[in-house]
Amino acid sequence: MTTGDNASAIVAGACVATDTETGGVCGKEGNPKRVLSFSFPLCPEHQTEFYSYKQHLAAAVTHRLDRDGVLWGTSPGHTYVVRLKDGNVKIGKTTTILLSRLTNVSRDYNEGEPVEILAVLQGGESTELLAHGKFKHLRLTKQTGERFRPEPELMAWIAEKGIANSAGEQVKQYEEWRQTRLKQRENLAAIKQVARATFDQFDDDDWK
C-alpha cells in the first residue's frame, strides 16, 4: 500500500473507478472518498453510484432481517414517496417535520417546484431501506436523490400504501404550502408572459 505523500497525490488525482465491462479507468477529476482507514478519488458520478451501492448493501441486510423475523418495529420517522418533475419517483426518509423535509427536497432535487406526495409510510430508515431493497432493480444509480423509475409494479405498491394515519396532518400542511407555491409560480409565469408580449410589440427602431 502506498503511504505518505504518494498516497496524498493519488487521493487528490483522477477518478479511479474502473468500468466492469471495458476495464477502462474513468480518469475524470475526483475528490477523496474515505472508507475506513483509506481513501480513493471518485468523480461526482461515481460517488453517486458508490452511495447507491452502500444503500443497496444496507437494504439487503434490512431485508434479510425482516425476512427472518428478527426486525422488530420500525425506525423513528416517516418514509415519503414523491414524484419529481422528471417523472421519476424519490423514496426518502425523514425524522423531522414532513413539510420542512419536502420543501428542501423540492428545492434540492426538483428545481424549486413542489414535489407531489404519492405516499407516506410509518417508519424512517428501516422502512426506507426495505422499500429501496424491494425496488432496487428500478433505482437510477447514476442520479442523486434516491430516484426510481415509475414502473407499474412500483406505482401499484405506492397506491396500496397510501398515507399513514400518523402523517395525515403533516401531509395536509404540505399540500397547503404546495398549492400556494404552485399558484405563486403560475402568477409569476403569467407576469413574464405579459412582459414578453409587451416587449415584442416594440420594433427595434422604438428603442433608438
Side-chain angles (χ1 to χ4, degrees):
M1 179 179 293
T2 306
T3 59
D5 294 337
N6 289 336
S8 298
I10 292 174
V11 169
C15 176
V16 297
T18 303
D19 191 288
T20 54
E21 295 182 359
T22 66
V25 177
C26 174
K28 296 179 182 178
E29 182 178 354
N31 292 313
K33 185 66 179 179
R34 186 174 181 82
V35 180
L36 300 177
S37 63
F38 61 94
S39 299
F40 53 91
L42 289 177
C43 67
E45 179 180 339
H46 285 114
Q47 287 214 23
T48 298
E49 284 198 76
F50 184 71
Y51 173 76
S52 296
Y53 176 67
K54 288 198 302 180
Q55 281 208 317
H56 167 71
L57 293 179
V61 172
T62 305
H63 173 73
R64 186 171 300 173
L65 293 174
D66 184 58
R67 181 197 63 191
D68 295 343
V70 293
L71 185 66
W72 298 100
T74 58
S75 303
H78 290 95
T79 294
Y80 58 84
V81 186
V82 298
R83 194 196 317 271
L84 303 175
K85 65 182 300 183
D86 63 6
N88 293 315
V89 172
K90 174 175 170 57
I91 302 176
K93 68 178 184 303
T94 181
T95 56
T96 63
I97 299 174
L98 199 59
L99 172 62
S100 175
R101 177 56 186 154
L102 293 186
T103 54
N104 289 337
V105 169
S106 300
R107 179 195 64 208
D108 297 338
Y109 299 104
N110 213 40
E111 299 179 7
E113 182 172 319
V115 296
E116 176 188 356
I117 294 179
L118 300 177
V120 179
L121 287 63
Q122 180 67 46
E125 187 171 17
S126 60
T127 303
E128 177 200 39
L129 288 174
L130 286 172
H132 285 185
K134 183 178 181 66
F135 299 106
K136 61 181 181 295
H137 56 293
L138 300 180
R139 183 162 182 165
L140 301 170
T141 58
K142 294 185 178 181
Q143 294 188 26
T144 59
E146 301 157 324
R147 304 177 194 226
F148 296 78
R149 299 196 309 274
E151 299 292 341
E153 59 180 305
L154 173 56
M155 303 312 292
W157 175 82
I158 290 171
E160 176 187 334
K161 294 302 180 182
I163 306 296
N165 291 334
S166 58
E169 188 60 33
Q170 293 189 57
V171 169
K172 180 181 178 181
Q173 292 174 358
Y174 172 77
E175 287 299 337
E176 290 175 352
W177 173 84
R178 179 173 181 265
Q179 292 304 318
T180 299
R181 184 69 173 172
L182 288 174
K183 188 64 177 177
Q184 290 173 343
R185 292 172 68 90
E186 181 182 328
N187 291 340
L188 180 59
I191 292 172
K192 288 182 177 179
Q193 185 175 6
V194 170
R196 188 178 300 110
T198 302
F199 180 83
D200 290 342
Q201 291 178 0
F202 292 93
D203 295 327
D204 290 341
D205 291 339
D206 293 328
W207 299 97
K208 295 179 180 179

